[in-house]
Amino acid sequence: VELAGQAKEALHKIVSASERCLDQVQSIAASTEEQSSAVEEVSSNVETISNSFEESRQGVTQIDSSANELSQVASELMQAVSWFKLEQTRLDTRNRQGATRRNAGISEQPSVNG
């Protein structure tokens, strides 16, 4: 009878230890599931960041291309407008020369150069 009592007590200890072990295994499984979910979320976020980076890179490339085109158009425009500036400068110079001559009492004569 004493031996049966010891066996019963040993079995209770085994059941209790098994239950604790089962609780720990379940806790580990839950933690592993949470970690797996977190890893999936981090992976998704990294992919989103990577996509955003690629979109930004493409945007910068487009901006660079547009800036180069705009610079070229601006240069062409400056060349096209420079004729008008030269003509205006010539007119301003003629007007100043005429005013200077009038102030000096010199009559204006048409120039040979136009």
mmCIF file of all heavy atoms in Angstrom, residues 11-63:
data_model
loop_
_atom_site.group_PDB
_atom_site.id
_atom_site.type_symbol
_atom_site.label_atom_id
_atom_site.label_comp_id
_atom_site.label_asym_id
_atom_site.label_seq_id
_atom_site.Cartn_x
_atom_site.Cartn_y
_atom_site.Cartn_z
ATOM 1 N N LEU A 11 3.129 9.786 -9.913
ATOM 2 C CA LEU A 11 2.291 10.050 -11.092
ATOM 3 C C LEU A 11 1.741 11.479 -11.058
ATOM 4 O O LEU A 11 1.674 12.148 -12.099
ATOM 5 C CB LEU A 11 1.152 9.039 -11.186
ATOM 6 C CG LEU A 11 1.552 7.630 -11.652
ATOM 7 C CD1 LEU A 11 0.355 6.694 -11.572
ATOM 8 C CD2 LEU A 11 2.078 7.671 -13.070
ATOM 9 N N HIS A 12 1.354 11.952 -9.891
ATOM 10 C CA HIS A 12 0.875 13.338 -9.763
ATOM 11 C C HIS A 12 1.979 14.328 -10.143
ATOM 12 O O HIS A 12 1.716 15.336 -10.813
ATOM 13 C CB HIS A 12 0.374 13.614 -8.344
ATOM 14 C CG HIS A 12 -0.979 13.080 -8.052
ATOM 15 N ND1 HIS A 12 -2.088 13.393 -8.778
ATOM 16 C CD2 HIS A 12 -1.416 12.217 -7.072
ATOM 17 C CE1 HIS A 12 -3.145 12.776 -8.295
ATOM 18 N NE2 HIS A 12 -2.751 12.030 -7.244
ATOM 19 N N LYS A 13 3.180 14.032 -9.691
ATOM 20 C CA LYS A 13 4.311 14.888 -10.023
ATOM 21 C C LYS A 13 4.568 14.871 -11.542
ATOM 22 O O LYS A 13 4.833 15.912 -12.143
ATOM 23 C CB LYS A 13 5.565 14.457 -9.274
ATOM 24 C CG LYS A 13 5.544 14.795 -7.802
ATOM 25 C CD LYS A 13 6.827 14.352 -7.123
ATOM 26 C CE LYS A 13 6.772 14.656 -5.627
ATOM 27 N NZ LYS A 13 7.988 14.214 -4.942
ATOM 28 N N ILE A 14 4.470 13.675 -12.139
ATOM 29 C CA ILE A 14 4.674 13.565 -13.589
ATOM 30 C C ILE A 14 3.592 14.334 -14.338
ATOM 31 O O ILE A 14 3.875 15.063 -15.290
ATOM 32 C CB ILE A 14 4.703 12.075 -14.014
ATOM 33 C CG1 ILE A 14 5.977 11.405 -13.480
ATOM 34 C CG2 ILE A 14 4.615 11.939 -15.527
ATOM 35 C CD1 ILE A 14 6.010 9.888 -13.677
ATOM 36 N N VAL A 15 2.334 14.202 -13.909
ATOM 37 C CA VAL A 15 1.224 14.917 -14.559
ATOM 38 C C VAL A 15 1.416 16.425 -14.402
ATOM 39 O O VAL A 15 1.238 17.191 -15.352
ATOM 40 C CB VAL A 15 -0.134 14.450 -13.995
ATOM 41 C CG1 VAL A 15 -1.258 15.370 -14.443
ATOM 42 C CG2 VAL A 15 -0.429 13.022 -14.396
ATOM 43 N N SER A 16 1.794 16.849 -13.206
ATOM 44 C CA SER A 16 2.002 18.280 -12.944
ATOM 45 C C SER A 16 3.141 18.815 -13.809
ATOM 46 O O SER A 16 3.027 19.881 -14.423
ATOM 47 C CB SER A 16 2.299 18.483 -11.460
ATOM 48 O OG SER A 16 2.546 19.834 -11.199
ATOM 49 N N ALA A 17 4.235 18.071 -13.899
ATOM 50 C CA ALA A 17 5.370 18.491 -14.722
ATOM 51 C C ALA A 17 4.971 18.497 -16.195
ATOM 52 O O ALA A 17 5.360 19.392 -16.953
ATOM 53 C CB ALA A 17 6.569 17.569 -14.478
ATOM 54 N N SER A 18 4.201 17.507 -16.604
ATOM 55 C CA SER A 18 3.736 17.443 -18.003
ATOM 56 C C SER A 18 2.845 18.633 -18.327
ATOM 57 O O SER A 18 2.927 19.204 -19.427
ATOM 58 C CB SER A 18 2.973 16.134 -18.248
ATOM 59 O OG SER A 18 3.825 15.038 -18.138
ATOM 60 N N GLU A 19 1.988 19.018 -17.397
ATOM 61 C CA GLU A 19 1.110 20.174 -17.614
ATOM 62 C C GLU A 19 1.928 21.459 -17.732
ATOM 63 O O GLU A 19 1.657 22.301 -18.588
ATOM 64 C CB GLU A 19 0.086 20.281 -16.482
ATOM 65 C CG GLU A 19 -0.996 19.229 -16.550
ATOM 66 C CD GLU A 19 -1.935 19.241 -15.342
ATOM 67 O OE1 GLU A 19 -1.641 19.963 -14.349
ATOM 68 O OE2 GLU A 19 -2.949 18.534 -15.401
ATOM 69 N N ARG A 20 2.944 21.600 -16.874
ATOM 70 C CA ARG A 20 3.820 22.779 -16.964
ATOM 71 C C ARG A 20 4.565 22.786 -18.299
ATOM 72 O O ARG A 20 4.696 23.810 -18.954
ATOM 73 C CB ARG A 20 4.815 22.794 -15.793
ATOM 74 C CG ARG A 20 4.213 23.242 -14.471
ATOM 75 C CD ARG A 20 5.295 23.568 -13.425
ATOM 76 N NE ARG A 20 6.297 22.525 -13.275
ATOM 77 C CZ ARG A 20 6.244 21.521 -12.389
ATOM 78 N NH1 ARG A 20 5.213 21.431 -11.562
ATOM 79 N NH2 ARG A 20 7.201 20.628 -12.325
ATOM 80 N N CYS A 21 5.030 21.609 -18.700
ATOM 81 C CA CYS A 21 5.740 21.479 -19.975
ATOM 82 C C CYS A 21 4.801 21.830 -21.135
ATOM 83 O O CYS A 21 5.183 22.547 -22.066
ATOM 84 C CB CYS A 21 6.262 20.058 -20.121
ATOM 85 S SG CYS A 21 7.305 19.831 -21.572
ATOM 86 N N LEU A 22 3.559 21.351 -21.054
ATOM 87 C CA LEU A 22 2.554 21.651 -22.084
ATOM 88 C C LEU A 22 2.269 23.153 -22.122
ATOM 89 O O LEU A 22 2.189 23.738 -23.199
ATOM 90 C CB LEU A 22 1.262 20.867 -21.823
ATOM 91 C CG LEU A 22 0.122 21.106 -22.810
ATOM 92 C CD1 LEU A 22 0.530 20.691 -24.218
ATOM 93 C CD2 LEU A 22 -1.125 20.366 -22.374
ATOM 94 N N ASP A 23 2.146 23.785 -20.958
ATOM 95 C CA ASP A 23 1.932 25.230 -20.901
ATOM 96 C C ASP A 23 3.095 25.979 -21.559
ATOM 97 O O ASP A 23 2.892 26.943 -22.310
ATOM 98 C CB ASP A 23 1.775 25.701 -19.452
ATOM 99 C CG ASP A 23 0.447 25.280 -18.830
ATOM 100 O OD1 ASP A 23 -0.467 24.917 -19.593
ATOM 101 O OD2 ASP A 23 0.350 25.322 -17.585
ATOM 102 N N GLN A 24 4.311 25.529 -21.278
ATOM 103 C CA GLN A 24 5.484 26.178 -21.863
ATOM 104 C C GLN A 24 5.519 25.976 -23.383
ATOM 105 O O GLN A 24 5.834 26.905 -24.130
ATOM 106 C CB GLN A 24 6.760 25.641 -21.218
ATOM 107 C CG GLN A 24 6.942 26.114 -19.778
ATOM 108 C CD GLN A 24 8.159 25.501 -19.105
ATOM 109 O OE1 GLN A 24 8.773 24.571 -19.628
ATOM 110 N NE2 GLN A 24 8.498 26.009 -17.921
ATOM 111 N N VAL A 25 5.199 24.770 -23.836
ATOM 112 C CA VAL A 25 5.175 24.501 -25.281
ATOM 113 C C VAL A 25 4.109 25.370 -25.949
ATOM 114 O O VAL A 25 4.343 25.950 -27.024
ATOM 115 C CB VAL A 25 4.926 22.993 -25.548
ATOM 116 C CG1 VAL A 25 4.587 22.752 -27.019
ATOM 117 C CG2 VAL A 25 6.142 22.177 -25.155
ATOM 118 N N GLN A 26 2.939 25.504 -25.311
ATOM 119 C CA GLN A 26 1.892 26.355 -25.869
ATOM 120 C C GLN A 26 2.325 27.819 -25.879
ATOM 121 O O GLN A 26 2.048 28.557 -26.831
ATOM 122 C CB GLN A 26 0.590 26.182 -25.086
ATOM 123 C CG GLN A 26 -0.083 24.862 -25.336
ATOM 124 C CD GLN A 26 -1.298 24.635 -24.436
ATOM 125 O OE1 GLN A 26 -1.451 25.271 -23.394
ATOM 126 N NE2 GLN A 26 -2.159 23.694 -24.827
ATOM 127 N N SER A 27 3.003 28.249 -24.852
ATOM 128 C CA SER A 27 3.511 29.621 -24.792
ATOM 129 C C SER A 27 4.548 29.855 -25.892
ATOM 130 O O SER A 27 4.539 30.903 -26.558
ATOM 131 C CB SER A 27 4.120 29.880 -23.413
ATOM 132 O OG SER A 27 4.679 31.166 -23.351
ATOM 133 N N ILE A 28 5.432 28.875 -26.078
ATOM 134 C CA ILE A 28 6.434 28.983 -27.139
ATOM 135 C C ILE A 28 5.753 29.029 -28.501
ATOM 136 O O ILE A 28 6.124 29.833 -29.370
ATOM 137 C CB ILE A 28 7.446 27.810 -27.054
ATOM 138 C CG1 ILE A 28 8.326 27.983 -25.809
ATOM 139 C CG2 ILE A 28 8.302 27.736 -28.317
ATOM 140 C CD1 ILE A 28 9.207 26.777 -25.499
ATOM 141 N N ALA A 29 4.717 28.200 -28.694
ATOM 142 C CA ALA A 29 4.001 28.179 -29.970
ATOM 143 C C ALA A 29 3.324 29.524 -30.226
ATOM 144 O O ALA A 29 3.370 30.048 -31.346
ATOM 145 C CB ALA A 29 2.975 27.055 -29.968
ATOM 146 N N ALA A 30 2.714 30.095 -29.182
ATOM 147 C CA ALA A 30 2.061 31.402 -29.334
ATOM 148 C C ALA A 30 3.095 32.480 -29.651
ATOM 149 O O ALA A 30 2.876 33.332 -30.527
ATOM 150 C CB ALA A 30 1.287 31.755 -28.072
ATOM 151 N N SER A 31 4.235 32.434 -28.958
ATOM 152 C CA SER A 31 5.296 33.415 -29.208
ATOM 153 C C SER A 31 5.844 33.262 -30.623
ATOM 154 O O SER A 31 6.094 34.259 -31.308
ATOM 155 C CB SER A 31 6.434 33.245 -28.205
ATOM 156 O OG SER A 31 5.993 33.527 -26.901
ATOM 157 N N THR A 32 6.011 32.040 -31.059
ATOM 158 C CA THR A 32 6.505 31.781 -32.415
ATOM 159 C C THR A 32 5.517 32.315 -33.445
ATOM 160 O O THR A 32 5.920 32.912 -34.464
ATOM 161 C CB THR A 32 6.741 30.278 -32.626
ATOM 162 O OG1 THR A 32 7.686 29.814 -31.666
ATOM 163 C CG2 THR A 32 7.261 29.981 -34.019
ATOM 164 N N GLU A 33 4.247 32.137 -33.188
ATOM 165 C CA GLU A 33 3.211 32.655 -34.088
ATOM 166 C C GLU A 33 3.257 34.183 -34.141
ATOM 167 O O GLU A 33 3.165 34.784 -35.216
ATOM 168 C CB GLU A 33 1.831 32.186 -33.601
ATOM 169 C CG GLU A 33 0.841 31.949 -34.713
ATOM 170 C CD GLU A 33 -0.431 31.310 -34.178
ATOM 171 O OE1 GLU A 33 -0.376 30.162 -33.704
ATOM 172 O OE2 GLU A 33 -1.469 31.988 -34.240
ATOM 173 N N GLU A 34 3.395 34.821 -32.976
ATOM 174 C CA GLU A 34 3.497 36.280 -32.926
ATOM 175 C C GLU A 34 4.734 36.769 -33.676
ATOM 176 O O GLU A 34 4.675 37.752 -34.421
ATOM 177 C CB GLU A 34 3.544 36.757 -31.473
ATOM 178 C CG GLU A 34 2.233 36.648 -30.745
ATOM 179 C CD GLU A 34 2.349 37.046 -29.275
ATOM 180 O OE1 GLU A 34 3.325 37.740 -28.918
ATOM 181 O OE2 GLU A 34 1.458 36.676 -28.503
ATOM 182 N N GLN A 35 5.856 36.072 -33.465
ATOM 183 C CA GLN A 35 7.083 36.457 -34.154
ATOM 184 C C GLN A 35 6.928 36.286 -35.665
ATOM 185 O O GLN A 35 7.385 37.128 -36.441
ATOM 186 C CB GLN A 35 8.267 35.633 -33.651
ATOM 187 C CG GLN A 35 8.738 36.051 -32.275
ATOM 188 C CD GLN A 35 9.886 35.204 -31.781
ATOM 189 O OE1 GLN A 35 10.193 34.148 -32.331
ATOM 190 N NE2 GLN A 35 10.536 35.670 -30.716
ATOM 191 N N SER A 36 6.295 35.213 -36.074
ATOM 192 C CA SER A 36 6.070 34.983 -37.496
ATOM 193 C C SER A 36 5.224 36.098 -38.091
ATOM 194 O O SER A 36 5.514 36.621 -39.172
ATOM 195 C CB SER A 36 5.390 33.627 -37.703
ATOM 196 O OG SER A 36 5.081 33.422 -39.061
ATOM 197 N N SER A 37 4.186 36.501 -37.359
ATOM 198 C CA SER A 37 3.324 37.595 -37.805
ATOM 199 C C SER A 37 4.117 38.899 -37.880
ATOM 200 O O SER A 37 3.984 39.665 -38.846
ATOM 201 C CB SER A 37 2.142 37.739 -36.849
ATOM 202 O OG SER A 37 1.347 38.831 -37.208
ATOM 203 N N ALA A 38 4.947 39.146 -36.878
ATOM 204 C CA ALA A 38 5.767 40.365 -36.867
ATOM 205 C C ALA A 38 6.762 40.352 -38.022
ATOM 206 O O ALA A 38 6.979 41.382 -38.677
ATOM 207 C CB ALA A 38 6.499 40.500 -35.536
ATOM 208 N N VAL A 39 7.364 39.196 -38.305
ATOM 209 C CA VAL A 39 8.311 39.091 -39.411
ATOM 210 C C VAL A 39 7.599 39.359 -40.733
ATOM 211 O O VAL A 39 8.131 40.054 -41.610
ATOM 212 C CB VAL A 39 8.998 37.699 -39.419
ATOM 213 C CG1 VAL A 39 9.720 37.442 -40.733
ATOM 214 C CG2 VAL A 39 9.975 37.592 -38.257
ATOM 215 N N GLU A 40 6.392 38.846 -40.892
ATOM 216 C CA GLU A 40 5.616 39.099 -42.111
ATOM 217 C C GLU A 40 5.323 40.590 -42.251
ATOM 218 O O GLU A 40 5.418 41.149 -43.346
ATOM 219 C CB GLU A 40 4.313 38.296 -42.091
ATOM 220 C CG GLU A 40 4.491 36.818 -42.346
ATOM 221 C CD GLU A 40 3.187 36.039 -42.245
ATOM 222 O OE1 GLU A 40 2.100 36.662 -42.290
ATOM 223 O OE2 GLU A 40 3.259 34.813 -42.142
ATOM 224 N N GLU A 41 4.972 41.231 -41.147
ATOM 225 C CA GLU A 41 4.682 42.670 -41.178
ATOM 226 C C GLU A 41 5.935 43.468 -41.527
ATOM 227 O O GLU A 41 5.892 44.388 -42.348
ATOM 228 C CB GLU A 41 4.120 43.129 -39.839
ATOM 229 C CG GLU A 41 3.638 44.555 -39.840
ATOM 230 C CD GLU A 41 2.976 44.951 -38.532
ATOM 231 O OE1 GLU A 41 2.585 44.069 -37.756
ATOM 232 O OE2 GLU A 41 2.867 46.164 -38.305
ATOM 233 N N VAL A 42 7.060 43.109 -40.921
ATOM 234 C CA VAL A 42 8.323 43.789 -41.218
ATOM 235 C C VAL A 42 8.688 43.576 -42.691
ATOM 236 O O VAL A 42 9.081 44.519 -43.391
ATOM 237 C CB VAL A 42 9.461 43.292 -40.296
ATOM 238 C CG1 VAL A 42 10.824 43.755 -40.791
ATOM 239 C CG2 VAL A 42 9.229 43.757 -38.868
ATOM 240 N N SER A 43 8.517 42.358 -43.173
ATOM 241 C CA SER A 43 8.809 42.064 -44.571
ATOM 242 C C SER A 43 7.931 42.898 -45.496
ATOM 243 O O SER A 43 8.412 43.457 -46.495
ATOM 244 C CB SER A 43 8.596 40.579 -44.840
ATOM 245 O OG SER A 43 8.793 40.280 -46.196
ATOM 246 N N SER A 44 6.665 43.010 -45.156
ATOM 247 C CA SER A 44 5.746 43.822 -45.956
ATOM 248 C C SER A 44 6.158 45.283 -45.929
ATOM 249 O O SER A 44 6.146 45.962 -46.962
ATOM 250 C CB SER A 44 4.320 43.661 -45.427
ATOM 251 O OG SER A 44 3.441 44.515 -46.098
ATOM 252 N N ASN A 45 6.541 45.781 -44.758
ATOM 253 C CA ASN A 45 6.980 47.174 -44.636
ATOM 254 C C ASN A 45 8.260 47.429 -45.427
ATOM 255 O O ASN A 45 8.398 48.474 -46.070
ATOM 256 C CB ASN A 45 7.176 47.553 -43.171
ATOM 257 C CG ASN A 45 5.868 47.657 -42.420
ATOM 258 O OD1 ASN A 45 4.810 47.804 -43.014
ATOM 259 N ND2 ASN A 45 5.935 47.540 -41.108
ATOM 260 N N VAL A 46 9.190 46.475 -45.398
ATOM 261 C CA VAL A 46 10.432 46.618 -46.160
ATOM 262 C C VAL A 46 10.118 46.646 -47.654
ATOM 263 O O VAL A 46 10.683 47.443 -48.403
ATOM 264 C CB VAL A 46 11.425 45.479 -45.823
ATOM 265 C CG1 VAL A 46 12.567 45.422 -46.825
ATOM 266 C CG2 VAL A 46 11.964 45.653 -44.413
ATOM 267 N N GLU A 47 9.187 45.809 -48.080
ATOM 268 C CA GLU A 47 8.789 45.806 -49.490
ATOM 269 C C GLU A 47 8.145 47.138 -49.870
ATOM 270 O O GLU A 47 8.420 47.695 -50.942
ATOM 271 C CB GLU A 47 7.824 44.659 -49.766
ATOM 272 C CG GLU A 47 7.483 44.498 -51.228
ATOM 273 C CD GLU A 47 6.613 43.279 -51.502
ATOM 274 O OE1 GLU A 47 6.534 42.398 -50.638
ATOM 275 O OE2 GLU A 47 6.027 43.233 -52.589
ATOM 276 N N THR A 48 7.297 47.669 -48.992
ATOM 277 C CA THR A 48 6.668 48.973 -49.244
ATOM 278 C C THR A 48 7.728 50.067 -49.342
ATOM 279 O O THR A 48 7.675 50.912 -50.245
ATOM 280 C CB THR A 48 5.659 49.306 -48.121
ATOM 281 O OG1 THR A 48 4.655 48.297 -48.099
ATOM 282 C CG2 THR A 48 5.026 50.659 -48.331
ATOM 283 N N ILE A 49 8.685 50.046 -48.440
ATOM 284 C CA ILE A 49 9.773 51.028 -48.467
ATOM 285 C C ILE A 49 10.582 50.885 -49.752
ATOM 286 O O ILE A 49 10.925 51.881 -50.392
ATOM 287 C CB ILE A 49 10.681 50.878 -47.222
ATOM 288 C CG1 ILE A 49 9.918 51.324 -45.965
ATOM 289 C CG2 ILE A 49 11.981 51.658 -47.383
ATOM 290 C CD1 ILE A 49 10.610 50.971 -44.668
ATOM 291 N N SER A 50 10.860 49.660 -50.142
ATOM 292 C CA SER A 50 11.608 49.413 -51.372
ATOM 293 C C SER A 50 10.848 49.953 -52.582
ATOM 294 O O SER A 50 11.442 50.598 -53.458
ATOM 295 C CB SER A 50 11.861 47.913 -51.539
ATOM 296 O OG SER A 50 12.514 47.644 -52.757
ATOM 297 N N ASN A 51 9.546 49.711 -52.620
ATOM 298 C CA ASN A 51 8.730 50.229 -53.723
ATOM 299 C C ASN A 51 8.716 51.759 -53.720
ATOM 300 O O ASN A 51 8.808 52.387 -54.779
ATOM 301 C CB ASN A 51 7.300 49.687 -53.646
ATOM 302 C CG ASN A 51 7.226 48.208 -53.951
ATOM 303 O OD1 ASN A 51 8.113 47.633 -54.573
ATOM 304 N ND2 ASN A 51 6.166 47.558 -53.509
ATOM 305 N N SER A 52 8.589 52.342 -52.537
ATOM 306 C CA SER A 52 8.602 53.806 -52.430
ATOM 307 C C SER A 52 9.946 54.361 -52.885
ATOM 308 O O SER A 52 10.006 55.387 -53.581
ATOM 309 C CB SER A 52 8.337 54.239 -50.989
ATOM 310 O OG SER A 52 7.051 53.857 -50.594
ATOM 311 N N PHE A 53 11.015 53.702 -52.504
ATOM 312 C CA PHE A 53 12.347 54.130 -52.919
ATOM 313 C C PHE A 53 12.464 54.082 -54.438
ATOM 314 O O PHE A 53 12.981 55.018 -55.057
ATOM 315 C CB PHE A 53 13.419 53.248 -52.272
ATOM 316 C CG PHE A 53 14.810 53.559 -52.742
ATOM 317 C CD1 PHE A 53 15.475 54.671 -52.264
ATOM 318 C CD2 PHE A 53 15.438 52.753 -53.672
ATOM 319 C CE1 PHE A 53 16.753 54.978 -52.701
ATOM 320 C CE2 PHE A 53 16.709 53.053 -54.118
ATOM 321 C CZ PHE A 53 17.372 54.152 -53.632
ATOM 322 N N GLU A 54 11.980 53.008 -55.041
ATOM 323 C CA GLU A 54 12.046 52.870 -56.502
ATOM 324 C C GLU A 54 11.229 53.962 -57.187
ATOM 325 O O GLU A 54 11.669 54.562 -58.164
ATOM 326 C CB GLU A 54 11.550 51.480 -56.928
ATOM 327 C CG GLU A 54 11.586 51.241 -58.421
ATOM 328 C CD GLU A 54 12.980 51.332 -59.021
ATOM 329 O OE1 GLU A 54 13.975 51.104 -58.315
ATOM 330 O OE2 GLU A 54 13.076 51.653 -60.222
ATOM 331 N N GLU A 55 10.040 54.234 -56.654
ATOM 332 C CA GLU A 55 9.214 55.301 -57.210
ATOM 333 C C GLU A 55 9.916 56.658 -57.071
ATOM 334 O O GLU A 55 9.896 57.474 -57.993
ATOM 335 C CB GLU A 55 7.849 55.339 -56.528
ATOM 336 C CG GLU A 55 6.952 54.173 -56.874
ATOM 337 C CD GLU A 55 5.667 54.140 -56.068
ATOM 338 O OE1 GLU A 55 5.372 55.105 -55.346
ATOM 339 O OE2 GLU A 55 4.949 53.123 -56.160
ATOM 340 N N SER A 56 10.543 56.885 -55.929
ATOM 341 C CA SER A 56 11.279 58.134 -55.711
ATOM 342 C C SER A 56 12.446 58.243 -56.679
ATOM 343 O O SER A 56 12.700 59.308 -57.246
ATOM 344 C CB SER A 56 11.801 58.209 -54.276
ATOM 345 O OG SER A 56 10.740 58.294 -53.375
ATOM 346 N N ARG A 57 13.161 57.138 -56.878
ATOM 347 C CA ARG A 57 14.287 57.130 -57.802
ATOM 348 C C ARG A 57 13.815 57.461 -59.209
ATOM 349 O O ARG A 57 14.421 58.267 -59.913
ATOM 350 C CB ARG A 57 14.988 55.770 -57.790
ATOM 351 C CG ARG A 57 16.287 55.745 -58.615
ATOM 352 C CD ARG A 57 16.809 54.339 -58.838
ATOM 353 N NE ARG A 57 15.900 53.509 -59.608
ATOM 354 C CZ ARG A 57 15.704 53.591 -60.933
ATOM 355 N NH1 ARG A 57 16.349 54.508 -61.630
ATOM 356 N NH2 ARG A 57 14.877 52.778 -61.546
ATOM 357 N N GLN A 58 12.702 56.870 -59.611
ATOM 358 C CA GLN A 58 12.158 57.152 -60.938
ATOM 359 C C GLN A 58 11.734 58.620 -61.034
ATOM 360 O O GLN A 58 11.944 59.261 -62.066
ATOM 361 C CB GLN A 58 10.975 56.237 -61.237
ATOM 362 C CG GLN A 58 11.371 54.793 -61.466
ATOM 363 C CD GLN A 58 10.168 53.868 -61.622
ATOM 364 O OE1 GLN A 58 9.025 54.289 -61.499
ATOM 365 N NE2 GLN A 58 10.433 52.606 -61.885
ATOM 366 N N GLY A 59 11.141 59.141 -59.957
ATOM 367 C CA GLY A 59 10.738 60.550 -59.938
ATOM 368 C C GLY A 59 11.938 61.469 -60.067
ATOM 369 O O GLY A 59 11.903 62.457 -60.811
ATOM 370 N N VAL A 60 13.013 61.153 -59.360
ATOM 371 C CA VAL A 60 14.230 61.969 -59.436
ATOM 372 C C VAL A 60 14.809 61.909 -60.845
ATOM 373 O O VAL A 60 15.255 62.930 -61.386
ATOM 374 C CB VAL A 60 15.269 61.503 -58.380
ATOM 375 C CG1 VAL A 60 16.638 62.115 -58.645
ATOM 376 C CG2 VAL A 60 14.790 61.853 -56.986
ATOM 377 N N THR A 61 14.772 60.728 -61.447
ATOM 378 C CA THR A 61 15.267 60.589 -62.819
ATOM 379 C C THR A 61 14.433 61.438 -63.775
ATOM 380 O O THR A 61 14.975 62.124 -64.646
ATOM 381 C CB THR A 61 15.229 59.109 -63.253
ATOM 382 O OG1 THR A 61 16.059 58.350 -62.371
ATOM 383 C CG2 THR A 61 15.734 58.922 -64.667
ATOM 384 N N GLN A 62 13.122 61.422 -63.592
ATOM 385 C CA GLN A 62 12.252 62.242 -64.439
ATOM 386 C C GLN A 62 12.500 63.728 -64.214
ATOM 387 O O GLN A 62 12.527 64.515 -65.168
ATOM 388 C CB GLN A 62 10.777 61.905 -64.173
ATOM 389 C CG GLN A 62 10.371 60.550 -64.700
ATOM 390 C CD GLN A 62 8.935 60.194 -64.325
ATOM 391 O OE1 GLN A 62 8.323 60.848 -63.493
ATOM 392 N NE2 GLN A 62 8.415 59.147 -64.938
ATOM 393 N N ILE A 63 12.671 64.122 -62.970
ATOM 394 C CA ILE A 63 12.944 65.531 -62.654
ATOM 395 C C ILE A 63 14.270 65.955 -63.285
ATOM 396 O O ILE A 63 14.374 67.038 -63.867
ATOM 397 C CB ILE A 63 12.958 65.757 -61.122
ATOM 398 C CG1 ILE A 63 11.538 65.652 -60.571
ATOM 399 C CG2 ILE A 63 13.583 67.096 -60.770
ATOM 400 C CD1 ILE A 63 11.472 65.616 -59.059
#
